Amino acid sequence: FEGRSKEITTVPNKPIPIGYKVWGAAQRGFLLVWNWHIPGQKNGPMGVRTLRELGGTIKARNGGNKIQAVVLHLIQRLPKPPKRSGYHVYLDNLFVSTRFVQYARSQEVAITGTCRTTGGVIKELLDLQKSDKKDIIPWGETYSMYTPNREVCYVGWKDQAFVLIISSFMSGNKRVERLRKRPKETSSKAKTVRKPFSKEPVKVLSIPVIADGYNYYIGAMDEFDYLTIQNTGLRHVRRGGHQALEHWLLRTVLINCYLLALCSDIPEPRQVSFRS
């Protein structure tokens, strides 16, 4: 929506930089829950309070910001899991910090995600990341380190770059074999990344399970966006914000129904039936 409204948000470098912003939790492209964002409000995302306001043990400036609070707010709206179990959520580095992962663990929510250098990572891993600017760490090298209370694991893994991952559920010790593509010679890390492939364009290589899980699950919202943007009715709305909201909600219903149909006995073509 590009019209006049105090609820629209501008996010530079996005495919659609201007419009209503929606925070969502998804699995395999199926949008489970979502929350509208209202910029400028005290609580930011509509109805969401910071961890400090929720009575958390961490301060807002130390991992309890409003963006991180959205994660727990969305998870709390999901069906309550069975006893002795909980949800395992994959996040990118926008949401992840050590203090937040620890607090989420206290709320029976497991977090796995990439993190920034300012996310409270152990200094040894930060030093390794800095040293790899000269591309000296061999591909596949994995380092696992824990917090003193053993509640959070930090993993450093050398892929095309030295990746930092935090998890309260997994470590970097377990590995799995996956088919990988050889990077181009123009890659900035070509010296070490291409070495395991020798002359083969693709090869089965051993990678950490934590990285494999992140690669597989982190794209759930991207899958939803991909299905959404295929709709030919998607267009910019410049007058009447209710139209943009209505179109988005309708597409969400159709996409979720389509994904449910994939798991049913409905005959082909399912996509035409639900999304024509």
Side-chain angles (χ1 to χ4, degrees):
F1 176 60
E2 296 181 345
R4 294 183 179 180
S5 174
K6 64 179 182 180
E7 286 83 15
I8 63 173
T9 305
T10 301
V11 184
N13 303 323
K14 290 287 186 179
I16 303 177
I18 301 175
Y20 295 123
K21 189 174 184 67
V22 184
W23 301 96
Q27 184 175 17
R28 298 183 181 180
F30 188 98
L31 191 61
L32 301 170
V33 290
W34 63 86
N35 198 71
W36 304 105
H37 180 82
I38 300 181
Q41 279 202 352
K42 177 183 177 182
N43 294 328
M46 189 172 66
V48 177
R49 292 179 293 168
T50 65
L51 301 187
R52 170 184 278 180
E53 294 167 327
L54 290 171
T57 57
I58 58 179
K59 297 180 180 179
R61 60 183 174 82
N62 289 329
N65 60 53
K66 290 179 285 190
I67 302 304
Q68 293 172 332
V70 174
V71 177
L72 294 179
H73 177 76
L74 292 173
I75 295 172
Q76 288 168 356
R77 293 174 55 193
L78 294 172
K80 190 174 181 180
K83 292 183 179 180
R84 297 185 179 181
S85 64
Y87 288 104
H88 184 193
V89 184
Y90 288 85
L91 304 170
D92 61 24
N93 58 21
L94 174 65
F95 304 92
V96 178
S97 69
T98 301
R99 293 178 181 270
F100 172 66
V101 174
Q102 288 179 326
Y103 181 77
R105 180 187 172 98
S106 71
Q107 303 300 306
E108 299 182 348
V109 178
I111 300 290
T112 298
T114 54
C115 60
R116 302 178 183 181
T117 56
T118 56
V121 184
I122 292 177
K123 184 177 183 299
E124 287 83 348
L125 289 178
L126 295 178
D127 293 339
L128 285 169
Q129 188 183 50
K130 290 180 182 179
S131 68
D132 194 52
K133 290 182 179 180
K134 298 182 181 180
D135 196 17
I136 61 175
I137 300 178
W139 183 93
E141 285 286 324
T142 306
Y143 305 85
S144 290
M145 301 179 183
Y146 288 87
T147 54
N149 57 13
R150 307 286 294 182
E151 290 185 349
V152 178
C153 179
Y154 306 93
V155 177
W157 176 54
K158 176 62 181 291
D159 191 19
Q160 293 195 39
F162 192 81
V163 183
L164 296 174
I165 306 176
I166 292 181
S167 179
S168 58
F169 185 75
M170 309 172 72
S171 70
N173 299 327
K174 295 183 179 180
R175 303 183 75 87
V176 65
E177 292 187 342
R178 288 287 182 263
L179 185 66
R180 308 276 294 183
K181 293 182 179 181
R182 183 180 61 187
K184 298 180 180 180
E185 293 183 5
T186 55
S187 171
S188 58
K189 306 288 184 179
K191 182 177 68 175
T192 56
V193 176
R194 289 172 59 90
K195 188 174 181 180
F197 292 88
S198 186
K199 296 182 180 180
E200 301 178 38
V202 295
K203 188 176 181 179
V204 176
L205 298 174
S206 174
I207 66 173
V209 171
I210 186 172
D212 181 64
Y214 177 83
N215 292 338
Y216 181 77
Y217 290 108
I218 194 61
M221 283 302 304
D222 292 335
E223 291 180 38
F224 172 80
D225 292 337
Y226 175 75
L227 291 170
T228 302
I229 206 167
Q230 291 185 60
N231 191 321
T232 55
L234 185 65
R235 68 181 191 276
H236 295 281
V237 178
R238 294 177 175 83
R239 180 174 297 180
H242 65 280
Q243 297 181 66
L245 298 177
E246 179 186 7
H247 294 333
W248 186 84
L249 290 171
L250 176 61
R251 290 195 301 272
T252 299
V253 171
L254 293 177
I255 290 169
N256 282 353
C257 289
Y258 165 63
L259 293 174
L260 287 174
L262 293 178
C263 304
S264 70
D265 297 327
I266 296 177
E268 298 282 1
R270 304 185 186 95
Q271 186 167 358
V272 174
S273 301
F274 282 106
R275 301 179 60 218
S276 59

